[in-house]
Amino acid sequence: MSTPVSPTTSDTPDEPATGAAPHPAVPPRDFPIRRGCPFAAPEEYGALRTEDPVARVTLPTKREAWVVTRYDDVRELLSDPRVSADIRRANFPALGEGEQEAGARFRPFIRTDAPEHTRYRRMLLPVFTVRRVRAMRPAVQARVDEILDGMLAAGGPADFVSAYANAVSTSVICELLGIPRENLEFFRDVTRISGSRHSTAEQVSEALGGLFGLLAELIAERREEPRDDLISKLVTDHLTTGNVTMDQLLSTLGITINAGRETTTSMIALSTLLLLDQPELMEELRHDTSLMPAAVDELLRVLSVADSIPLRVAAEDIELSGRTVPADDGVIALLAGANHDPEQFDHPERVDFHRTDNHHVAFGYGVHQCIGQHLARLELEVALGTLIRRVPTLRLAGDRDQVAFKHDSATFGLEELMVTW
């Protein structure tokens, strides 16, 4: 493994605050709220949506913030230019102790505002267009078949998360960037540590440092011998021209890898578990493959694995559902709350592959909407479709009640899923 390299920044984060200014009325609830059913939003979201749609909460860091659960409010909040995603703001509603300190140091572009965020997004956008992603389908299909061949040849029982879901998502993003994929678990470990709400700033920095060390070596190689991959393109078009610094490029690549593989890993694994739990849905897709694009969007809505990723700070007073979120207070747009809002989705708890007007917000909304959403949809279509077609006897290898879920991670998902066939 390469020597860790840690980017530095000349920007100084605001002095951390002990919490948002106290507000009268209802005492704040504890947040995060855990899911009961993995295929639904937490039950408490429904009560909040009805009784207190813009509610005060106490975060694990002991700061106070607001959570928003209604569909219309979530979309309004995430498209409001008076809301900041800058992680350096004092009351940024980080859910982990080390999240804000590490984020202020490494500055992932998803935690920045315009014009900085706009510049990084424009760097990556040409690679993730619908046309470019559509052209990737044969390569993604070949890689998925290769991974599935390996899992089947090794025999069951197997940990589906490691052997298939993580292997697919990590391989695809590594191939796009031009990163060797000898050690897929390395990237999973980096995300596990950097995305855990229990990791310290030192642990996050160490994990990201290892990733940045690997990337720094690849960047040096691409400077000498460019290839047909994203790292080469960013080095040629942006690093050598001075558009970005080395630290900025490392941070951009790092968040592209982490975000690009973690949510897709979780979606592949959770979707598979849902289909195993509801075999009639599996049969529906097996007999009508044309449903797969709609099925993927419905699974994205129902599972909402990135529920509390949209962390924001109100730059000015903002009114939502008759409640004022004061300037400088942290606010979290709960995607699972929005995606299970009965005012927007008829019978939101039901998985319906024939649902029309499925304008979910699983990828967020507004200027920070996930840049890799077209690639994520492609990976899910291919990974799930191939599995359904080729392994009709897939089943759980252990007790359903023993399946371990990730409740304390930035992305909801599965720790492990033992399957056989």
Side-chain angles (χ1 to χ4, degrees), residues 12 58 70 75 124 145 162 215 334 388 392 411:
T12 302
T58 300
R70 286 180 177 168
R75 285 177 42 127
L124 297 170
D145 282 329
S162 176
L215 292 173
L334 296 176
I388 291 168
T411 303

Side-chain angles (χ1 to χ4, degrees), residues 201-215:
E202 292 74 19
Q203 290 170 328
V204 173
S205 295
E206 182 179 357
L208 292 178
L211 175 60
F212 292 143
L214 170 64
L215 292 173

Side-chain angles (χ1 to χ4, degrees), residues 52-74:
D52 198 7
V54 184
R56 281 194 305 138
V57 295
T58 300
L59 306 176
T61 59
K62 306 307 179 185
R63 294 183 183 177
E64 289 185 12
W66 302 83
V67 293
V68 179
T69 47
R70 286 180 177 168
Y71 179 87
D72 289 342
D73 287 342
V74 165

Side-chain angles (χ1 to χ4, degrees), residues 10 40 43 60 67 71 111 173 190 228 334 345 364 411 415:
S10 58
E43 291 184 9
V67 293
Y71 179 87
R111 300 301 191 201
I173 198 67
V190 169
D228 185 20
L334 296 176
F345 302 100
T411 303
E415 295 286 358

Side-chain angles (χ1 to χ4, degrees), residues 38-39 266-274 303 305 405 412-414:
F39 312 136
S266 294
M267 276 300 305
I268 293 172
L270 273 173
S271 296
T272 299
L273 179 61
L274 185 151
L303 298 175
V305 299
F405 298 94
F412 182 70
L414 294 170

Side-chain angles (χ1 to χ4, degrees), residues 251-299:
S251 179
T252 301
L253 291 172
I255 191 60
T256 301
I257 294 169
N258 277 357
R261 56 153 304 283
E262 180 66 5
T263 51
T264 309
T265 295
S266 294
M267 276 300 305
I268 293 172
L270 273 173
S271 296
T272 299
L273 179 61
L274 185 151
L275 294 173
L276 291 174
D277 275 5
Q278 302 182 49
E280 70 280 4
L281 295 176
M282 182 92 78
E283 285 302 312
E284 188 175 11
L285 293 176
R286 184 172 288 120
H287 288 102
D288 187 358
T289 57
S290 69
L291 285 174
M292 187 55 72
V296 163
D297 267 307
E298 178 68 344
L299 291 167

Side-chain angles (χ1 to χ4, degrees), residues 101-128:
E101 184 179 339
R105 178 184 181 189
F106 297 120
R107 301 296 308 283
F109 77 91
I110 65 170
R111 300 301 191 201
T112 63
D113 294 330
E116 185 178 7
H117 172 263
T118 308
R119 181 162 63 96
Y120 291 123
R121 191 175 179 90
R122 285 175 177 167
M123 283 170 47
L124 297 170
L125 193 59
V127 181
F128 293 104

